[in-house]
Amino acid sequence: MNARRVQHFVRLAAASAALAAGAAMAAGADWSSFLFDASGSRYNAAETVITQANAARLQLKWSFVFPGADGIASSQPAVVNGVLYVGARNGLFYALDAASGKTLWSFDTATVVGPAVKRLLPDPTGGSPQLMPNLLRDGPAVSGGVVYFGDFYGFLYALDAASGRLLWATEVEPHRDAIVTSSPTVYGGRVYVGLSSKEVFNPNLPDYPCCQARGGVAALDAATGDLLWKRYTVPPSKRQPPALLGQLRYAPSGGPVWSSPAIDAASRTLVIGSGQNYTGTVPYDGHSSCTDPVTSGCSDSVIAYDLDTGAQKWAHQMVAGDSWTSACVLLPNTTLGNCAVSGPDYDVGASPNIFSLGGRGVVAVGQKNGVFHLLDLATGATIWDQRLATGNGPSNQAGENGIQWGSAWDGRRLYVATYNAHPGTLFALDPAAADAQRVVWSTPNPADGCSTGGAAKAAARTCDVSMGQAVSITPGLVFEGSRDGKFRVFNADSGAILFTYDTVQGYTGVNGVAGKGGSIGHGGVVVSHGMVYVNSGYATSDAQHSDASSGMRGQNAVLLAFTLPGS
């Protein structure tokens, strides 16, 4: 294979020891991956310690502060056999005792990819290039005594879960700006992961030769890291006529896959969502199946592949001709820069849910335009669309109002959160109901979210009453954090708020490091064995106030663990 790999011998004895060490703890309430299960339910049905009757009594048990991080925490933890696994935006991956937060081991990705100085980001002001640390953004997946995760350099790692020893590392995408924000899905001896890119940020420089990175999905052998197949969402870019000032131009590009692939075992189908083009707008027939990405492209699409071969089964393009990069924030709709035409940026960035409805396989997935879709699993045809928010967002960056990272399914209802939708709102949907009855309940982000608690002390425009985090559920409960820095627990039957905790405050972690919480986003809440784990510290909506002292970004960023009294 042409993927660059770092290979180490796997000591099966170490993996066996890891499994034996956790034998006393019932595995039923573990939360082992971003999706919880391969079909993407984000529902821990075995977690029954925390209930509607006692959720209001939750209290903070411990905090862990990520040292030397950039104030953002986005890696959703995995909890297996009493150990919590989580990545940090300082290039380190941690294993913590799930009950106490004590560090069991850590792994430095620099041992594989080198120090941050190796990779440089262009400075949009034209100054010297900036150092780019290896930001571990995705959530890990744990299976068979091995923990899998991706990084900001396009690598996927496998570590021994008991010791943190590197088993293998594979560069799944060689483009210099490739990143992995997609949390891996492990199934049938394979690891499936989406491919994204940070090239979307480079066009801030007007003379940047935009763009050539492509999104996609890859399948790797879980034991060896060998690349088994890889499929891109758009074809290779070609050189285009130069721009007005003579800058080099390439198209098409983009179609990143931000979130985790979901799998239907019965039909051997893998489903992903793709983002917008960076460059290139092909006149597709909007809101219909796009053509084969080998010859055309499937941006802003839901795409189904054969699980074994990677052959495309179908693709449903939600928005046609959507090209957007960060240049569209600074210089939109001008031939002077890298955004001649600013598209709406309506990614399908959320992870899908796959389930059976009345004997029919379906795919449920949200989009950044505020529409939640239900599709036929076999064909990709629309069953229904439900608008939950309008799509337009602030600062020429559309898609800010819609559905960001993922929904949840408990076998009866879908639970969906909207982002900067004035306000963001949590919805419960009955997928079998008629249009008028589909919304069972909706609970908006409390209006005082930014005027109370730690958020009230933040600089103007750094707080939003929005819910961008992936939704998590257990029997009778829904867990969701907000950009106002509050973590909330909702009654799944009524939408009533049962518990609120303000994370925007200072902490001294069990690791002895001081930090501060902030807004909450991306990776969802994890509920396992009577404990609740929440990341605090996420991006601010105002770059001028992105420092920890005045904004809603964290300081180092923190992982918080909650439990019931006496536990």
Side-chain angles (χ1 to χ4, degrees), residues 102-415:
K102 177 184 177 182
T103 301
L104 303 177
W105 54 257
S106 64
F107 174 80
D108 190 349
T109 58
T111 60
V112 174
V113 298
V117 69
K118 229 180 120 180
R119 313 272 176 134
L120 301 176
L121 281 174
D123 185 340
T125 65
S128 299
Q130 309 164 52
L131 297 183
M132 187 192 72
N134 195 6
L135 313 177
L136 305 185
R137 293 183 57 182
D138 71 334
V142 183
S143 178
V146 180
V147 56
Y148 304 91
F149 64 94
D151 75 356
F152 214 58
Y153 295 166
F155 277 77
L156 190 70
Y157 300 77
L159 306 182
D160 180 276
S163 66
R165 181 173 53 86
L166 177 68
L167 304 177
W168 53 258
T170 299
E171 187 179 41
V172 288
E173 173 55 31
H175 189 279
R176 58 155 284 174
D177 289 317
I179 60 176
V180 177
T181 59
S182 166
S183 300
T185 300
V186 184
Y187 181 80
R190 293 183 173 187
V191 185
Y192 300 91
V193 68
L195 310 175
S196 187
S197 169
K198 57 185 172 292
E199 191 181 28
V200 68
F201 303 113
N202 296 350
N204 282 343
L205 294 171
D207 60 350
Y208 179 78
C210 181
C211 285
Q212 299 183 66
R214 297 186 287 164
V217 61
L220 295 87
D221 186 288
T224 66
D226 289 330
L227 182 64
L228 302 176
W229 57 257
K230 179 165 62 173
R231 300 293 179 263
Y232 292 103
T233 57
V234 297
S237 61
K238 297 179 180 179
R239 188 165 175 173
Q240 305 295 312
L244 183 63
L245 300 180
Q247 310 99 309
L248 293 177
R249 292 290 179 266
Y250 299 87
S253 61
V257 178
W258 294 103
S259 269
S260 297
I263 291 171
D264 178 64
S267 63
R268 308 295 295 174
T269 303
L270 178 142
V271 181
I272 62 168
S274 67
Q276 85 286 357
N277 287 112
Y278 300 160
T279 54
T281 53
V282 182
Y284 301 124
D285 176 17
H287 212 79
S288 64
S289 294
C290 62
T291 55
D292 189 335
V294 173
T295 58
S296 183
C298 293
S299 58
D300 289 356
S301 299
V302 182
I303 312 173
Y305 299 93
D306 183 282
L307 189 63
D308 302 302
T309 66
Q312 181 176 301
K313 291 188 172 184
W314 53 260
H316 187 135
Q317 188 172 50
M318 300 300 175
V319 176
D322 177 12
S323 291
W324 189 94
T325 69
S326 59
C328 297
V329 176
L330 301 176
L331 292 170
N333 304 311
T334 173
T335 55
L336 294 177
N338 281 312
C339 186
V341 178
S342 179
D345 187 27
Y346 283 166
D347 307 43
V348 183
S351 293
N353 316 113
I354 301 177
F355 54 94
S356 178
L357 188 65
R360 179 187 193 183
V362 298
V363 178
V365 66
Q367 189 177 357
K368 285 174 64 178
N369 63 356
V371 176
F372 195 82
H373 308 279
L374 191 74
L375 309 178
D376 185 281
L377 175 62
T379 66
T382 297
I383 299 173
W384 53 254
D385 291 332
Q386 182 77 39
R387 177 163 292 284
L388 301 179
T390 57
N392 294 332
S395 304
N396 297 315
Q397 184 173 356
E400 284 282 313
N401 293 1
I403 299 137
Q404 299 290 309
W405 286 105
S407 47
W409 163 251
D410 66 1
R412 183 176 61 135
R413 293 173 179 170
L414 288 156
Y415 302 89

